[in-house]
Amino acid sequence: MCYEPDAVPPVHGSPITTVTSERLVLTSADGANFAAFLSRPGRASGPAVLVLPDNRGLSGFYERLTERLAEQGHTALAVDYFGRTAGTGPRPDDFPFMEHLGKAHKDGLFADIAAGAAHLRAEGCADIVSLGFCFGGRLAFMTAKPAFGLAGVIGLYGYPDVLFGNPGPTQMAGELRGPILGLFGGADEGISPEVVSAFGEALEGAGVAHEFVTYPGAPHSFFELGRPELAEACADAWSRIAGFLKRTARGDLTSPRAATMQD
């Protein structure tokens, strides 16, 4: 789990519009129901965002994140992963997410993500960008497959290499398309610089437009309010996310970018 139950996402500037939010229950292609949280801006001014949580699934952190995104003009939907095994209601802070994570399978996860994207399209959103964290960051990189029909993907500290014997985004690079934005912590003990570099090389070899940013000294799950030592990294990450969304809407991110930037 990336975030404690009381964690909240950082804020990116003053709101530019009003926000309305609601908890939803969506239905996947196999008929399974799963929880989601939708925030709508009073005045939309950019692509929609499909938020993919960490391995705990839908939590208050990601519900608040959809509101922060909607404040900046983006319709945002966060999806849960465990409707098939844990139901669709709110969960206690001690929810045993690891038990349910072990029962989640790729086909179901991707079907739920596709259903989330379909709901955003039904809301009238033509362009959608996925934004994932940790486990969701890994999934976000994988949603760069053309079948998802996304305008771009953003992954924060998503592990891109082989995991538990399963191929990751690095191995799937030839199946992906850009643009991809990857944000990583330089002090993340679980994702080495070599792993990030190998992912970048694979994307470059496949001609996939991408940009990676590594923040020296930043740990895993650095994107969180209330940690003064990480405020600069959080602010820069927010700025890059916002800029990526704006440029994706304009179609400006079309050329492969392989450089890992140190900020």
Side-chain angles (χ1 to χ4, degrees):
M1 178 176 66
C2 280
Y3 297 108
E4 295 298 326
D6 59 351
V8 293
V11 177
H12 179 61
S14 299
I16 65 171
T17 186
T18 57
V19 175
T20 57
S21 300
E22 63 177 317
R23 189 177 178 89
L24 304 173
V25 174
L26 303 181
T27 302
S28 195
D30 63 357
N33 293 332
F34 64 96
F37 192 88
L38 176 68
S39 291
R40 301 181 183 92
R43 180 175 57 84
S45 56
V49 181
L50 181 63
V51 177
L52 306 180
D54 61 52
N55 54 11
R56 190 182 187 278
L58 184 61
S59 66
F61 181 93
Y62 298 102
E63 293 176 355
R64 300 292 80 74
L65 180 60
T66 68
E67 294 173 343
R68 301 291 82 80
L69 289 160
E71 288 174 351
Q72 302 303 316
H74 305 282
T75 302
L77 178 77
V79 299
D80 184 49
Y81 305 130
F82 308 127
R84 292 170 180 79
T85 58
T88 60
R91 294 164 191 154
D93 292 346
D94 61 354
F95 169 64
F97 62 93
M98 288 302 295
E99 296 178 14
H100 295 273
L101 185 65
K103 300 174 184 177
H105 299 289
K106 181 179 67 174
D107 290 347
L109 291 168
F110 285 161
D112 294 351
I113 291 169
H119 186 85
L120 286 171
R121 293 186 181 102
E123 291 274 329
C125 304
D127 294 320
I128 303 169
V129 171
S130 64
L131 169 61
F133 296 75
C134 186
F135 177 70
R138 179 180 174 88
L139 291 176
F141 292 143
M142 293 180 178
T143 62
K145 285 187 173 183
F148 288 96
L150 302 183
V153 306
I154 306 170
L156 280 78
Y157 23 89
Y159 189 74
D161 213 337
V162 175
L163 189 62
F164 303 120
N166 297 310
T170 299
Q171 290 71 42
M172 297 165 54
E175 304 173 46
L176 307 181
R177 72 177 186 188
I180 295 173
L181 174 63
L183 304 178
F184 301 93
D188 188 335
E189 296 181 357
I191 305 177
S192 69
E194 292 76 18
V195 165
V196 175
S197 178
F199 184 29
E201 290 172 2
L203 291 176
E204 183 176 11
V208 179
H210 65 285
E211 179 181 4
F212 289 171
V213 182
T214 299
Y215 296 97
H220 192 78
S221 66
F222 65 83
F223 192 74
E224 179 183 351
L225 186 67
R227 302 182 66 177
E229 75 280 12
L230 299 174
E232 185 175 351
C234 287
D236 187 79
W238 248 131
S239 179
R240 292 181 186 277
I241 291 168
F244 183 92
L245 292 172
K246 183 179 295 185
R247 295 193 305 276
T248 300
R250 296 200 307 255
D252 290 352
L253 296 178
T254 56
S255 300
R257 299 185 62 183
T260 297
M261 302 172 64
Q262 299 287 341
D263 288 49

